[in-house]
Amino acid sequence: MDMFLAENLAEEKRKALIYNLMIGLYDLKILQFPESEVVEDEFLEGKPCAERYGRVYDAHLRLCERLGVDEDEDIETIINCMNDITRILAMKMYDYGANSDKLPKTE
């Protein structure tokens, strides 16, 4: 594997690790990463993402109740697509931050 490809693969893994730490994917009592000393789980109780996720979950339950179903495919599609969009934007934001020296300076 050439050096450029190896570096890009390592960077993609790092981006994914940071994102996964931010969304609380890992149980840090079991898995430890040096990055977890800096990167916070944004879904911990009391954080804005946790509050909003709770509101989404509650709305999901209310919609399912009104529809008279346990689960609804369209609701699941909306939630999953919004999660995908968030991941895409987070990865792009990381790239922009990593290459901020190439962005125009603002005053």
Side-chain angles (χ1 to χ4, degrees):
M1 183 182 302
D2 71 14
M3 185 60 100
F4 178 77
L5 184 58
E7 287 174 3
N8 279 340
L9 184 57
E11 189 68 12
E12 290 301 312
K13 285 183 178 181
R14 182 173 174 81
K15 284 182 353 186
L17 172 63
I18 291 170
Y19 180 79
N20 290 336
L21 287 167
M22 288 176 62
I23 64 168
L25 183 67
Y26 304 118
D27 182 345
L28 297 178
K29 294 174 189 154
I30 298 171
L31 293 171
Q32 291 293 310
F33 303 95
E35 291 84 354
S36 65
E37 293 179 22
V38 176
V39 179
E40 295 181 33
D41 177 348
E42 297 300 328
F43 287 85
L44 291 174
E45 189 174 331
K47 290 197 161 254
C49 288
E51 185 270 330
R52 276 136 181 110
Y53 187 81
R55 289 172 54 194
V56 167
Y57 182 76
D58 291 344
H60 174 219
L61 293 178
R62 289 190 306 273
L63 283 169
C64 286
E65 186 177 322
R66 282 200 303 268
L67 294 171
V69 297
D70 290 330
E71 294 292 326
D72 181 80
E73 187 177 328
D74 290 333
I75 296 170
E76 294 299 320
T77 297
I78 291 167
I79 293 169
N80 291 335
C81 285
M82 292 308 298
N83 286 337
D84 290 345
I85 289 168
T86 301
R87 182 178 181 84
I88 291 165
L89 291 174
M91 296 298 135
K92 284 291 194 179
M93 187 64 112
Y94 180 97
D95 290 340
Y96 291 134
N99 295 299
S100 63
D101 59 324
K102 297 175 186 164
L103 293 173
K105 301 292 182 218
T106 58
E107 294 180 28

